[in-house]
Amino acid sequence: MIQFDGVTKRYVDGTVAVDDLTLQIPTGQITVLVGPSGCGKTTTLRMINRLIEPTSGTITIDGEDVRAQDPARLRRGIGYVIQHAGLFPHRTIVDNIATVPYLLGWDKKKARTTALELMERVGLDTKMARRYPYQLSGGQQQRVGVARALAADPPVMLMDEPFSAVDPIVRKSLQDEFIRLQSELRKTIAFVTHDIDEAVKLGHTVAVFKVGGVLAQHSTPDELLAA
Ligand code: ADP
Ligand code: ADP
């Protein structure tokens, strides 16, 4: 479980992006953070993998304070997927997916075999393995982004609007396949979106943020819809 305890983030210009956040992200579930632009969702996510440091408060993963861990080591256990995939343009798809295994010094052949298996898992034709990112559609690039984040089999995944930049039909198939994948993998997932329909569809629970970085509600989709 990921636990936020009284976490506040105030940027140097004085902006309070996250205000006294206490939140639990249970192990093996999808917790969706939803709310309008600027309400602190991305800041919240990036404090988990220490791309951003809180001003005050504590974040623990399975009881261990994230500040007690070396950031690079911490990030090996945390897959990260962003809106425009962030693929390396000069690396092939298979090498993009194998980025973290290469960093970890895996045998190259094992890293590539894993990458090819992951391509199948996320619904990509392995014939695309030697292509470069610009030769793929936006939806295919997002699949590569998900596969890359999964490559070292991290227990935790942070996903920041991963399906927001693709058209509605592609988005629906990405969401459906993601639900199927997660039912096998059971990762601990913090998933950011501004789309309430996506939140309700994907979340075991949904944390609703308001402008000012305040958590307004954290409940199941059914409770949210009934409110
Ligand atoms: P969201 O992901 O919900 O759109 P963010 O976490 O990106 O929200 O931003 C929350 C607030 O913090 C916004 O008001 C944003 O403008 C502000 N903010 C984000 N990054 C910085 C920064 N580096 N410096 C100052 N303010 C920032
Ligand atoms: P280096 O310091 O050698 O450049 P980084 O740790 O910055 O290595 O990682 C390089 C790239 O690999 C990052 O830009 C990021 O896109 C990707 N990456 C690193 N760690 C992860 C992770 N846990 N999940 C997904 N991608 C990652």
Side-chain angles (χ1 to χ4, degrees), residues 3-33:
Q3 168 91 40
F4 284 76
D5 260 312
V7 172
T8 291
K9 175 61 187 183
R10 185 192 308 271
Y11 285 106
V12 283
D13 66 357
T15 305
V16 176
V18 175
D19 191 358
D20 193 21
L21 175 66
T22 295
L23 172 70
Q24 295 182 348
I25 297 174
T27 300
Q29 292 194 1
I30 302 174
T31 300
V32 176
L33 317 183

Side-chain angles (χ1 to χ4, degrees), residues 46-122:
R46 290 162 72 96
M47 289 191 289
I48 298 171
N49 62 0
R50 295 188 63 191
L51 291 174
I52 296 173
E53 298 290 344
T55 310
S56 57
T58 306
I59 301 163
T60 59
I61 301 179
D62 297 335
E64 193 178 350
D65 194 324
V66 295
R67 281 170 303 195
Q69 298 175 58
D70 168 60
R73 196 191 168 89
L74 174 75
R75 284 173 206 146
R76 276 174 220 148
I78 304 179
Y80 186 41
V81 186
I82 57 174
Q83 188 171 6
H84 292 283
L87 304 179
F88 301 109
H90 305 298
R91 290 190 200 165
T92 61
I93 299 310
V94 67
D95 285 343
N96 262 282
I97 296 172
T99 297
V100 174
Y102 292 159
L103 284 172
L104 294 176
W106 291 17
D107 171 68
K108 276 224 152 177
K109 209 168 153 190
K110 181 185 164 209
R112 289 194 173 170
T113 308
T114 301
L116 291 170
E117 283 166 8
L118 278 164
M119 286 185 75
E120 288 178 355
R121 273 220 135 136
V122 299

